[in-house]
């Protein structure tokens, strides 16, 4: 999705203190994060847009294109069938909150009885209850970078067990399944990446055994 961004200024702790040059002292990182959080909570967006806080930026994105929505809806229907009868459900269009950050995944899996996992302010679900997130990459450098790099780190930092990236813009299309997050390092230790047209199963977690293949992604792009 194309995004409009509002970035918080970066604080480089290795630089000399500003007051040494007679300038004002830079605010602590925690204060900047809190300011960004408060700004995000007060945003009033037109219908069809949502806002996220991703690695020090507020990013405002519109509803995805037809191809994007088609993949998400196919995936949602397949996950609903796979999870039927269990304690988990597939969610769309909802905030996932981790500390002073907020994400709106294209799809995620969390407990169906979610009352105890709602944040105190009611803005969304706590990331700690999320078992899997899925992002379908949209065109544009910023959108591609956000899902491939920034959200990869963010979801690992939040300890989300499985991150699935469906990427129309990687060659002929790829599906990447990331598992074994290390929150302290903000990385996933395990990665499986396959081209569209090749089935890949979720190897771990609550959706273990769920298969993503051509029925969800469609055939290879521009093959």
């Amino acid at each position: 999705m194309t995004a409009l961004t509002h970035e918080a200024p970066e604080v480089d702790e290795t630089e000399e203190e500003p007051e040494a040059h007679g300038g004002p002292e830079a605010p602590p990182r925690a204060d900047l994060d809190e300011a960004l959080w408060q700004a995000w909570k007060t945003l009033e967006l037109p219908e069809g847009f949502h806002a996220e806080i991703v690695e020090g930026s507020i990013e405002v994105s519109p509803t995805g294109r037809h191809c994007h929505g088609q993949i998400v809806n196919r995936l949602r229907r397949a996950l609903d069938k796979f999870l039927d009868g269990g304690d988990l459900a597939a969610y769309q269009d909802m905030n996932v909150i981790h500390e002073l950050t907020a994400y709106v995944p294209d799809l995620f899996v969390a407990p169906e009885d979610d009352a105890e996992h709602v944040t105190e302010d009611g803005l969304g679900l706590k990331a700690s209850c999320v078992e899997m997130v899925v992002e379908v990459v949209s065109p544009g450098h910023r959108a591609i970078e956000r899902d491939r790099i920034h959200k990869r780190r963010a979801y690992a930092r939040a300890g989300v067990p499985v991150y699935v990236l469906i990427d129309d813009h990687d060659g002929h299309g790829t599906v990447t399944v990331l598992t074994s997050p290390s929150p302290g390092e903000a990385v996933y230790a395990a990665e499986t990446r396959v081209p569209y047209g090749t089935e890949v199963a979720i190897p771990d977690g609550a959706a273990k055994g769920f298969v993503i293949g051509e029925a969800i992604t469609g055939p290879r792009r521009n093959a």
Side-chain angles (χ1 to χ4, degrees):
M1 302 175 189
T2 303
L4 303 174
T5 69
H6 173 74
E7 298 188 1
E10 295 184 0
V11 177
D12 186 349
E13 296 179 355
T14 66
E15 291 183 357
E16 243 185 306
E17 293 295 327
E19 62 267 28
H21 301 288
E25 183 178 358
R29 176 77 252 179
D31 289 352
L32 294 173
D33 290 342
E34 177 65 28
L36 205 62
W37 173 253
Q38 295 301 328
W40 175 80
K41 291 200 296 183
T42 61
L43 283 176
E44 295 185 10
L45 300 174
E47 186 175 353
F49 287 81
H50 66 255
E52 303 174 282
I53 303 175
V54 182
E55 295 203 320
S57 297
I58 294 178
E59 303 206 6
V60 179
S61 305
T63 300
R65 299 182 180 189
H66 172 264
C67 181
H68 179 282
Q70 191 178 51
I71 291 174
V72 173
N73 286 324
R74 287 173 183 160
L75 186 60
R76 171 69 183 270
R77 289 193 295 270
L79 268 172
D80 282 339
K81 291 180 181 178
F82 184 84
L83 299 171
D84 188 39
D87 298 328
L88 299 169
Y91 290 82
Q92 287 175 269
D93 302 321
M94 189 180 296
N95 296 318
V96 171
I97 309 295
H98 175 62
E99 297 177 347
L100 297 180
T101 58
Y103 312 101
V104 186
D106 287 320
L107 199 71
F108 67 94
V109 174
E112 187 165 25
D113 183 5
D114 61 5
E116 66 178 285
H117 304 292
V118 179
T119 58
E120 291 183 7
D121 51 20
L123 289 174
L125 291 181
K126 300 172 186 175
S128 58
C129 79
V130 174
E131 298 287 343
M132 181 173 83
V133 292
V134 181
E135 297 287 0
V136 179
V137 180
S138 291
H141 174 75
R142 183 77 187 192
I144 291 171
E145 183 180 69
R146 179 174 66 247
D147 289 340
R148 290 182 187 170
I149 301 172
H150 301 299
K151 281 196 169 183
R152 177 173 177 152
R153 288 197 297 251
Y155 290 140
R157 192 177 291 117
V160 175
V162 181
Y163 177 29
V164 177
L165 192 64
I166 300 177
D167 195 341
D168 265 7
H169 311 285
D170 183 9
H172 297 297
T174 60
V175 178
T176 302
V177 179
L178 299 157
T179 56
S180 302
S182 177
E185 298 174 290
V187 298
Y188 283 96
E191 175 178 341
T192 301
R193 181 170 169 267
V194 302
Y196 282 8
T198 301
E199 293 188 344
V200 60
I202 305 301
D204 300 309
K208 182 178 180 179
F210 177 74
V211 175
I212 300 173
E214 189 170 330
I216 292 172
T217 64
R220 295 180 67 185
R221 299 290 190 261
N222 305 315

